[in-house]
Amino acid sequence: MTDAPTRAGLLGERDFIRYLTARCLGTLAVQMQTVAVGWQVYQTTRDPLHLGFIGLSQFLPFIVLILPAGHVADSFDRRRIVTGCYFLNMICALSLLTLSLRGVNSVTPIFALMTLLGITRAFAMPAAQALIPNLVPPQSFARAVAVNQSVFQVSTIVGPTLGGVLYLAGASVVYGIVATLLFTSTLLMLRIRSGGRSASVAPAVSVQSLLSGLRFVKSKPIVLGAISLDLFAVLFGGATALLPVYAHDILHTSSAGLGLLRTAPAVGAMICALALAAKPLSRHVGAWMFGGVTVFGIATIVFGLSTNLAVSMVALTLLGAGDMVSVYLRHLLVQLETPDAIRGRVSAVNAVFVGASNELGEFESGVTAAWFGTVRAVVVGGAATLIVAAVWSRLFPELRSMDRLPTAAR
């Protein structure tokens, strides 16, 4: 007869596969829906400003609610939080389907539904990140993170393309398929039996409790260094926001070429994530992290100076691979250094840094391009990333010299 530890391990493996499948389908659905909503809103209004409102309507509730969401992830069953978020996303998709079938031309209800998606994203992100260590044994965590990132990148690559192709049959077709995928994700999450929140007593709601994740990050130089390094590297090296300008004015390619350029970083990230899943990093962790950021910065400079589509594609692929090394190690350090009782709140802080770097990085790229010109803005941004890596290696010597990953905190 199979002993209890073996049965628990098999259960955890099955539950992690369910989690991965649910995340794959959920991410695929969101990416498809994002393309459909963008096309529909622009077809309705012919106003590019409304495309900005789509992102803003999701970003504002995310920033406002992410820290309370981290507290919720440490107070309730994380499996049920993620399940509820998938269910609400499905309701959004069904609502968009209804609006499309009824021929509603107003974009106001679409923005309202995008706001609800921003709310669910705020609650899902810390709960999902904090859940993974509860689903796999410590010795499998590094490989689990790499596999999880691989799944995310594959969905990010396939989702927009699939959404664009299906939109040719109508927005309602996309929303119907999205709803079906999210319904499947909800069912898969409901079947997960292991994991969840390990704390037996939920932390009391207070300002001190909400900010405890920030205090923990501040008290851990390695975690603070990893998170802030990624923040400033992406903030200054956000070349992808200017891809339409490069495609049209510098590389002189078509919309198909723009699609290839947008896909290249995700392809690089996916290849790197698969390599890390096959052979997780175990030594020279600090050197690998700073090396990934350095590759990211150099690739950004090469892309900025390139006038050849093939060279630009290679540079963007390497950019995505370098970024994946940094993302992979940051995620491992945050989760392994953090006790489970506070993991949701620390994951929320991590999400704030990641969200801020992506959104503000795009804004910074647009502003500097307007000031200095597109090529100069990208090259200066890549150089700034290299400077950040050099400065952070001096500010956080513990991170720079780290050899092995820490054991999981309890």
Side-chain angles (χ1 to χ4, degrees), residues 72-287:
V72 171
D74 290 330
S75 303
F76 301 98
D77 192 321
R78 293 162 184 157
R79 297 165 296 179
R80 300 301 172 239
I81 295 171
V82 178
T83 302
C85 290
Y86 279 136
F87 179 78
L88 288 175
N89 287 347
M90 181 191 71
I91 296 300
C92 287
L94 290 175
S95 300
L96 289 168
L97 174 61
T98 301
L99 292 173
S100 180
L101 291 175
R102 291 185 176 181
V104 176
N105 292 322
S106 173
V107 295
T108 301
I110 294 179
F111 291 146
L113 291 170
M114 293 300 101
T115 300
L116 179 57
L117 284 176
I119 294 172
T120 62
R121 178 186 168 211
F123 282 91
M125 186 174 288
Q129 289 183 2
L131 178 59
I132 297 177
N134 302 138
L135 295 176
V136 296
Q139 64 271 21
S140 302
F141 182 58
R143 181 171 280 107
V145 169
V147 171
N148 183 54
Q149 290 296 328
S150 300
V151 166
F152 176 77
Q153 294 299 335
V154 169
S155 301
T156 302
I157 293 169
V158 175
T161 303
L162 187 58
V165 172
L166 290 173
Y167 195 89
L168 296 174
S172 58
V173 174
V174 179
Y175 297 141
I177 294 175
V178 167
T180 302
L181 292 175
L182 290 169
F183 176 70
T184 306
S185 295
T186 303
L187 291 181
L188 287 168
M189 289 301 302
L190 284 172
R191 292 195 61 195
I192 293 178
R193 294 291 177 263
S194 65
R197 188 179 61 86
S198 66
S200 59
V201 179
V205 179
S206 65
V207 175
Q208 185 177 13
S209 177
L210 291 175
L211 297 179
S212 58
L214 284 169
R215 288 197 304 274
F216 179 85
V217 170
K218 185 179 178 181
S219 70
K220 293 285 187 178
I222 288 177
V223 176
L224 177 61
I227 293 178
S228 57
L229 174 63
D230 186 77
L231 165 66
F232 286 103
V234 175
L235 179 64
F236 291 122
T240 54
L242 301 174
L243 287 181
V245 181
Y246 266 86
H248 188 272
D249 297 336
I250 297 173
L251 299 175
H252 305 292
T253 185
S254 63
S255 58
L258 174 60
L260 291 174
L261 291 171
R262 286 196 176 279
T263 303
V267 170
M270 181 191 68
I271 293 172
C272 183
L274 290 173
L276 291 170
K279 189 175 179 57
L281 298 177
S282 58
R283 298 292 306 274
H284 311 299
V285 170

